[in-house]
Each structure stands twice: as C-alpha cells, then as structure tokens.
Amino acid sequence: MPPAELTKFYRSLQTIDVTRTRMEKLFRDGKITKNDLNSVYEALFLRAVTSFESFLEELFLAILEGRVRYKR
C-alpha cells in the first residue's frame, strides 16, 4: 500500500486533471477564450508543482519520523 503522502499527492493530481478537462470543454464550446484557458493552465501547473513540493516535504518528514520505510 502506498504511503498516505503519495495517495494525497495522487488525489491532488486527479483534481487538477478534472479541472483541466472541464476548462478544455468550456473552450471547445466557445464559453471561454484561449487567454482564459492559458491562465487556467498556468494556475494548474503552479498547483501541481506546489503539490509535488508538499509531497516531497511530507515524505521526507515521514521517512525521518519512521512512518515510512523503503527496502534497500
């Protein structure tokens, strides 16, 4: 079973992907402009990077505290 930190990170990526899919549908339907879509992409990218950094920090602390262990 993956550590809770990985599960949390995976869920955040799933949420980001759902948002991306909805925004692309709105763009295809002509309800938002390309500039709007590009702004959403930028925001989602930053959210993904922030989520990844948070995952690394939480994983590092979990390893230090012995909550997560990996075989050599």
Side-chain angles (χ1 to χ4, degrees), residues 22-60:
R22 284 187 303 155
M23 293 299 111
E24 287 178 354
K25 183 180 182 327
L26 289 174
F27 176 70
R28 282 192 308 272
D29 294 345
K31 295 184 178 178
I32 62 172
T33 66
K34 190 169 186 173
N35 274 346
D36 293 335
L37 185 60
N38 286 335
S39 292
V40 169
Y41 282 146
E42 289 175 19
L44 292 177
F45 174 76
L46 290 175
R47 184 177 294 169
V49 169
T50 302
S51 294
F52 181 66
E53 289 174 344
S54 178
F55 162 70
L56 290 178
E57 181 180 345
E58 290 175 17
L59 182 61
F60 178 73

Side-chain angles (χ1 to χ4, degrees), residues 2-13 47-63 67-68 70:
E5 295 79 13
L6 181 58
T7 303
K8 182 179 172 184
F9 176 59
Y10 182 71
R11 284 189 186 139
S12 72
L13 292 180
R47 184 177 294 169
V49 169
T50 302
S51 294
F52 181 66
E53 289 174 344
S54 178
F55 162 70
L56 290 178
E57 181 180 345
E58 290 175 17
L59 182 61
F60 178 73
L61 290 174
I63 291 169
R67 292 182 282 130
V68 175
Y70 293 95

Side-chain angles (χ1 to χ4, degrees), residues 9-21:
F9 176 59
Y10 182 71
R11 284 189 186 139
S12 72
L13 292 180
Q14 286 177 319
T15 302
I16 289 168
D17 193 49
V18 168
T19 302
R20 179 197 56 80
T21 302

